[in-house]
Amino acid sequence: MVECSVSGVLIFGEPDEVRIRGIEDKLRSIVMKAEERGRDSWGIVVMSRDGGIRSIKSLGRASETLPKYSRLLDADTVVAIANNRAEPTTEYVKEKGINDIQPMISEYVVVSHNGTIANDVELEGKYGIRKMSKIDSSILPPLLEKAWDGSLEGLQRILRDEVAGSFALAIIDRRKPGKLWLAVNFKPLYVMWDRELNALFFSSLDTYLEDPDKPPWEANVVKRIEPYSVIEVSREGEWRRLSLWRVDSSKPKRVLMVASGGLDSTTSATQLIKQGYDVTLLHFNYGHIAEGPEEAAVRRIADFLNVPLLEVNMDFFKIIKHSPLLGEGEINRRREGITGAEFAHEWVPARNLVFIALAVAIAEAMGYDYVATGVNLEEAGAYPDNEMEFIRLLNQVMPYAVGPNKHVELLMPVGHLVKHEIVKLGLEIGAPLHLTWSCYDKGPKHCGRCGPCFMRRLAFKINGVRDPVEYDLPPEVEEDYWRGTRPYKAPLPMGKSKLISS
């Protein structure tokens, strides 16, 4: 099995004829929409409250053959699971029988599966069981009947430790007709509780469940099942979830910190170290104007924090161009930097997205659990890729961006803070703020008139501390600006770093 759609419904309470008709109509609609992911065959298995099952299966598109069946559900129905199958090239069956059409049925267990079971032959030999079809999905019902004790923990163990491949699963057991099990690794599955129909629907894509014609206050909430999860839900309203991640709590939490050499990433790295993370700094030299001072700063910071530093030299953005930071156009220094702080005049096309993608690839390859960035609430006002929502949404993509059973999560330690709060936190935790570089220009001093310089100066002033870096401004201007602030006190270094590569 490669691409399919898993769908179905769990019915709560005692449905009358009107409600059961409404549930059936919605189920039909979902299955017909889901043929987008499978047009070779479809099937629905319906279970009644006494554990009896009824199977409706057909070759071809659901939209062409499903309407021929006048009735799928009745008032005795408690659960139904369905599947739309796209037959992969590697499992092509010229003459298909009923056992080749999902959901797969054994004596007690019924399974609808989207994905690939890569070790089906090995499982047959290990457990002395036989598939009912050449299709790999058919290993699952006999495997569960042989090895599963019916508990959520037992299902977690089998899927985590025994099954190799990809999956989104819907499972029912005739011996427990009021329960439904849903499980996913990186294959998608969404759930929706319909308030009016008092039923839980599920399918492989959220769009199959949504009703776009309803206004938001009438629409039902559709939620994704968290990747690498197994769930047990009952008609009594019980809901339990367990994770399928393999977690070794004895290992340190390794994080790759995307570091520019500025205030935000430096404070973030220091905070992560204080929280017990094993931190490595990752710095990109991408041909920007401030490359020299930023590289020097991040090396000093790595030495101070006593953490490894990985430098990546890249010329990708030399091809992209279209930014003052890459030498095209002028850095905005109007109104003493306020203008540059309030709008993304120096936007580099998709820079953070590119950096995060590369960082995730490095993290996966080198065994890091996390990638951290210095995105923050202040700069999110001008730069979309500093918005917390950017990182939150990318985290939802992460299970599909890395290999099977690989876990890389994005962190934003200062994502909820504005600049003066970041400086305050950095001062409190002993971050080496005196070693940082914030200016868009190449130095040797901070220009004092670009957007980052404006925010940096004001953030220190709000905290009553004189910024320890030098600005290319008249001495009288500086003395007047910092009057009434106290001198910056540099914290003690944590040790020496190791440069991994450059």
Side-chain angles (χ1 to χ4, degrees), residues 127 256 361:
Y127 286 98
L256 200 57

Side-chain angles (χ1 to χ4, degrees), residues 277-311:
Y277 287 85
D278 182 357
V279 174
T280 294
L281 301 187
L282 172 62
H283 180 68
F284 294 99
N285 294 312
Y286 61 99
H288 55 301
I289 292 174
E291 180 176 294
E294 280 193 8
E295 181 181 35
V298 81
R299 290 184 175 189
R300 293 193 300 266
I301 292 161
D303 280 338
F304 182 98
L305 296 176
N306 192 27
V307 297
L309 169 62
L310 173 62
E311 289 190 38

Side-chain angles (χ1 to χ4, degrees), residues 220-233:
N220 296 299
V221 176
V222 179
K223 299 195 72 172
R224 182 183 69 157
I225 293 179
E226 192 68 22
Y228 293 89
S229 296
V230 57
I231 290 168
E232 179 183 84
V233 56

Side-chain angles (χ1 to χ4, degrees), residues 145-365:
E145 288 193 357
K146 182 84 174 209
W148 183 30
D149 62 5
S151 69
L152 186 62
E153 290 77 10
L155 186 58
Q156 175 196 44
R157 182 193 65 78
I158 291 170
L159 296 179
R160 185 186 60 201
D161 302 334
E162 299 283 352
V163 175
S166 59
F167 55 83
L169 298 170
I171 303 166
I172 54 177
D173 189 328
R174 296 180 63 182
R175 294 163 294 189
K176 298 181 179 181
K179 289 191 174 182
L180 168 70
W181 292 268
L182 302 173
V184 294
N185 54 11
F186 61 84
K187 303 301 286 184
L189 200 59
Y190 290 81
V191 294
M192 179 198 70
W193 178 60
D194 190 300
R195 295 181 295 253
E196 183 180 346
L197 295 174
N198 195 20
L200 182 75
F201 293 88
F202 57 91
S203 195
S204 288
L205 288 184
D206 52 352
T207 53
Y208 305 158
L209 301 171
E210 293 169 345
D211 187 347
D213 297 327
K214 285 187 176 181
W217 52 88
E218 292 181 8
N220 296 299
V221 176
V222 179
K223 299 195 72 172
R224 182 183 69 157
I225 293 179
E226 192 68 22
Y228 293 89
S229 296
V230 57
I231 290 168
E232 179 183 84
V233 56
S234 73
R235 295 182 69 226
E236 289 72 37
E238 297 172 341
W239 176 284
R240 291 182 62 212
R241 173 188 174 273
L242 294 176
S243 172
L244 293 175
W245 291 117
R246 297 179 179 91
V247 178
D248 185 352
S249 57
S250 64
K251 291 172 56 180
K253 298 176 290 185
R254 301 183 69 210
V255 56
L256 200 57
M257 178 76 228
V258 180
S260 66
L263 294 173
D264 312 317
S265 58
T266 301
T267 300
S268 296
T270 308
Q271 176 81 323
L272 290 168
I273 293 169
K274 298 284 185 178
Q275 293 172 344
Y277 287 85
D278 182 357
V279 174
T280 294
L281 301 187
L282 172 62
H283 180 68
F284 294 99
N285 294 312
Y286 61 99
H288 55 301
I289 292 174
E291 180 176 294
E294 280 193 8
E295 181 181 35
V298 81
R299 290 184 175 189
R300 293 193 300 266
I301 292 161
D303 280 338
F304 182 98
L305 296 176
N306 192 27
V307 297
L309 169 62
L310 173 62
E311 289 190 38
V312 176
N313 298 315
M314 57 191 300
D315 58 7
F316 174 73
F317 287 104
K318 292 180 181 178
I319 301 169
I320 296 296
K321 300 181 181 177
H322 289 89
S323 171
L325 297 192
L326 301 172
E328 287 195 356
E330 296 292 326
I331 294 170
N332 191 305
R333 294 187 172 93
R334 291 190 291 274
R335 296 174 57 213
E336 298 179 336
I338 298 176
T339 301
E342 293 181 340
F343 189 77
H345 297 279
E346 289 82 15
W347 173 261
V348 178
R351 181 182 62 179
N352 279 2
L353 181 61
V354 172
F355 285 174
I356 289 171
L358 293 173
V360 168
I362 294 168
E364 179 184 352

